[in-house]
Amino acid sequence: MHKLWLIIKREFSTRVRKKTFLLMTLLGPLFLAALMFLPAYLATLPGDEKVVVVLDHGALMNMEAGKGEVTFNYLPPREFNLEKGLAFFKGSAHYAFLFVPGGDVIDPDFSGRNTRLYARGDVSLKVQSDIEGILEKNIQKEKLRAQGVDPEVIARTRSRVDLKTVNLEENTTQESATLVKMGIGYVSGFLIYIFVFLYGAQVMRGVIEEKTSRIVEVMISSVRPFQLMLGKIIGIGGVALLQFLVWLICGVAFYAVAV
């Protein structure tokens, strides 16, 4: 047991004293936060303006100005058909070409199902989603008018509900912080996965280094291989638990401030 304790102490102390341990303990949460939130932040930054040429034979776009970074450039339906519209788009530097078909009798569902968006490459999902939202909104308005219902009346009856939850088990009347708890749970689960991956790799790397330097042959002469491996696992696992404990204390402090 004494020899096992010496191996555990050696593995624990040598790794805790390293500068990389201190850096990962202090900067690890910041790195993980950047890894999770930076892509979402970059996605909200305004990009280059995207001009979409629109040929609206179905009268579904209603001369919408655009949304976000997308603006619409409308072609006169009486002067352009699909072929001419495509030729105009190919000769321009615009982002995409939207064609909304029509007919002798305007059918919003037919126009919506057969609308096409042409581009020189892959279309951004954000642009596609914005155009689909505009078409769905205007198709609904046209169908309401066909049924003799004023769309403005429907719009005025819509309400937004912001439901506030209160946890009575916490003996307080404050709102429950469900989103904060979910975020902490998600981050904690991710950290556990990182710990298992990183510190498992450290055990493997430690064994390989000692095998390469032939230190393991000297150590095995005085301890059993089972004791050596068990000491490494417990020692390195203790380093992981220490780091996790530091982050847990920081998480509890953050939760107390957020609530």
Side-chain angles (χ1 to χ4, degrees):
M1 183 62 67
H2 177 67
K3 294 179 180 179
L4 177 62
W5 170 248
L6 290 177
I7 296 173
I8 296 173
K9 183 179 179 181
R10 174 184 174 274
E11 294 293 337
F12 181 83
S13 60
T14 54
R15 283 169 171 78
V16 169
R17 292 173 183 173
K18 289 182 178 180
K19 294 181 180 180
T20 54
F21 173 79
L22 297 176
L23 290 176
M24 283 300 299
T25 302
L26 298 176
L27 302 180
L30 298 178
F31 173 75
L32 292 175
L35 186 65
M36 289 184 291
F37 297 111
L38 186 60
Y41 171 74
L42 293 176
T44 60
L45 295 178
D48 297 334
E49 184 180 15
K50 297 179 175 62
V51 179
V52 177
V53 180
V54 180
L55 181 57
D56 186 11
H57 284 285
L60 290 183
M61 293 298 291
N62 291 336
M63 303 299 288
E64 294 276 355
K67 184 179 180 181
E69 60 190 37
V70 180
T71 58
F72 297 122
N73 180 18
Y74 291 87
L75 299 178
R78 295 183 179 180
E79 301 178 11
F80 286 85
N81 55 18
L82 177 58
E83 290 74 16
K84 292 182 179 180
L86 281 173
F88 175 84
F89 167 68
K90 292 177 181 178
S92 68
H94 296 321
Y95 179 74
F97 171 65
L98 178 67
F99 174 69
V100 182
D104 296 334
V105 178
I106 295 180
D107 183 359
D109 286 327
F110 171 80
S111 299
R113 287 192 302 266
N114 293 277
T115 297
R116 296 291 182 268
L117 183 63
Y118 300 88
R120 296 179 179 85
D122 294 331
V123 179
S124 168
L125 292 178
K126 181 68 169 56
V127 174
Q128 183 176 344
S129 176
D130 290 344
I131 293 176
E132 288 176 349
I134 293 172
L135 288 172
E136 289 173 358
K137 178 187 68 174
N138 292 333
I139 287 174
Q140 183 185 33
K141 288 182 178 180
E142 294 299 328
K143 294 174 75 172
L144 287 173
R145 290 192 182 97
Q147 297 295 326
V149 180
D150 187 359
E152 297 300 327
V153 176
I154 301 296
R156 288 196 297 268
T157 58
R158 292 176 180 171
S159 300
R160 185 179 182 276
V161 177
D162 186 10
L163 185 64
K164 296 178 175 60
T165 60
V166 178
N167 191 344
L168 295 177
E169 294 182 356
E170 295 182 355
N171 297 322
T172 179
T173 58
Q174 295 181 353
E175 298 179 18
S176 60
T178 305
L179 292 178
V180 177
K181 294 178 181 177
M182 289 177 60
I184 293 177
Y186 173 78
V187 173
S188 300
F190 185 73
L191 290 178
I192 291 174
Y193 169 78
I194 293 296
F195 282 144
V196 172
F197 180 78
L198 291 180
Y199 287 98
Q202 284 196 22
V203 173
M204 180 184 67
R205 187 173 60 184
V207 173
I208 294 174
E209 290 176 353
E210 292 178 355
K211 178 66 176 176
T212 304
S213 60
R214 295 185 177 274
I215 296 177
V216 67
E217 297 177 2
V218 178
M219 298 179 67
I220 290 178
S221 64
S222 59
V223 296
R224 290 182 298 173
F226 176 77
Q227 289 179 320
L228 177 62
M229 196 65 187
L230 182 61
K232 282 184 172 295
I233 294 175
I234 296 177
I236 296 176
V239 177
L241 290 176
L242 176 61
Q243 195 172 60
F244 185 75
L245 180 62
V246 173
W247 289 355
L248 181 62
I249 295 173
C250 295
V252 171
F254 172 77
Y255 174 74
V257 172
V259 174

